[in-house]
């Protein structure tokens, strides 16, 4: 058997498999820090690391189109939207005691149950699915575009409406905060003018 036809087993991983594992560990760590930090801005920035790690994982799986969509939509748009929302609503920049509701065990239970349900559904749905290696690559632009615009048009449009609603909500909250602050500022100015 020649070196070119040797198969890699579990104990002899390739460089791509090692990189996939290391990036996965970094992504998992960033996700943990995102949900455990008490600083909202740090949580948003760690979310950038977690979403960027997912984009690298897609690149390692040779799904370049999905990786760039991940960068453009999630890292570029959703996180920027979160940061704008934090800035417009005047969220506290430092450590916030309001960031911890004291329901960590309930949240952990719900997270583990949701993860178990998601793994079960995915494994059950794709147990007998085989990938056609002779056809177009699974992550290619052609295959992804055909799947997106044939099977996933409604969720794609619903996501865009959801992002628009989040942006409008941030603007409404910022205007309400300014309206609440205006009478107090006017009263202070009147008191200082009377002196």
């Amino acid at each position: 058997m020649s070196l070119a036809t040797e198969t890699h087993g579990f104990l002899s991983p390739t460089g791509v498999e090692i990189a996939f594992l290391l990036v996965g560990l970094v992504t998992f760590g960033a996700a943990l820090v995102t949900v455990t930090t008490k600083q909202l801005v740090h949580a948003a920035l760690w979310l950038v690391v977690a979403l960027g790690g997912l984009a690298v994982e897609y690149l390692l799986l040779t799904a370049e189109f999905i990786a760039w969509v991940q960068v453009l939509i999630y890292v570029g748009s959703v996180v920027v939207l979160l940061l704008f929302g934090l800035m417009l609503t005047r969220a506290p920049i430092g450590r916030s005691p309001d960031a911890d509701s004291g329901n960590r065990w309930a949240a952990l239970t719900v997270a583990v149950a949701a993860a178990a349900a998601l793994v079960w559904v995915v494994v059950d749905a794709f147990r007998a699915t085989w990938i056609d290696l002779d056809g177009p690559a699974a992550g290619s632009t052609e295959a992804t575009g055909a799947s997106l615009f044939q099977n996933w048009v409604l969720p794609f449009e619903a996501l865009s409406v959801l992002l628009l609603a989040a942006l409008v909500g941030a603007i409404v909250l910022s205007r309400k905060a300014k309206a609440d602050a205006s009478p107090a500022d006017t009263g202070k100015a009147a008191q200082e003018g009377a002196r």
Side-chain angles (χ1 to χ4, degrees):
M1 179 179 268
S2 67
L3 290 174
T5 59
E6 280 186 18
T7 58
H8 292 280
F10 179 73
L11 296 177
S12 59
T14 64
V16 174
E17 292 169 344
I18 293 171
F20 188 87
L21 179 64
L22 293 177
V23 172
L25 290 174
V26 170
T27 304
F28 181 72
L32 278 179
V33 174
T34 300
V35 298
T36 56
T37 185
K38 293 186 178 182
Q39 296 188 8
L40 296 177
V41 176
H42 288 184
L45 295 176
W46 279 108
L47 182 62
V48 170
V49 175
L51 295 174
L54 286 177
V56 173
E57 297 284 42
Y58 286 132
L59 279 176
L60 292 172
L61 292 171
T62 66
E64 294 87 4
F65 178 71
I66 303 295
W68 290 118
V69 167
Q70 172 83 11
V71 169
L72 290 175
I73 292 180
Y74 287 103
V75 177
S77 301
V78 173
V79 175
V80 168
L81 187 65
L82 284 172
L83 291 174
F84 272 117
L86 290 173
M87 289 187 287
L88 290 173
T89 57
R90 297 179 183 167
I93 299 298
R95 295 179 69 83
S96 175
D98 298 336
D100 189 6
S101 67
N103 295 327
R104 289 184 181 218
W105 289 109
L108 181 63
T109 303
V110 170
V112 168
L118 183 62
V119 167
W120 179 73
V121 166
V122 169
V123 168
D124 188 52
F126 296 104
R127 180 177 298 152
T129 302
W130 296 93
I131 298 174
D132 181 19
L133 297 178
D134 295 329
S140 69
T141 307
E142 178 186 355
T144 305
S147 175
L148 181 65
F149 291 112
Q150 287 177 358
N151 306 323
W152 301 100
V153 173
L154 186 61
F156 185 74
E157 291 300 324
L159 179 63
S160 64
V161 171
L162 180 66
L163 291 174
L164 178 63
L167 181 60
V168 170
I171 292 170
V172 167
L173 287 174
S174 71
R175 290 189 180 267
K176 184 177 178 183
K178 286 181 183 178
D180 291 344
S182 295
D185 295 340
T186 308
K188 284 182 180 179
Q191 288 177 355
E192 289 176 4
R195 291 181 187 169

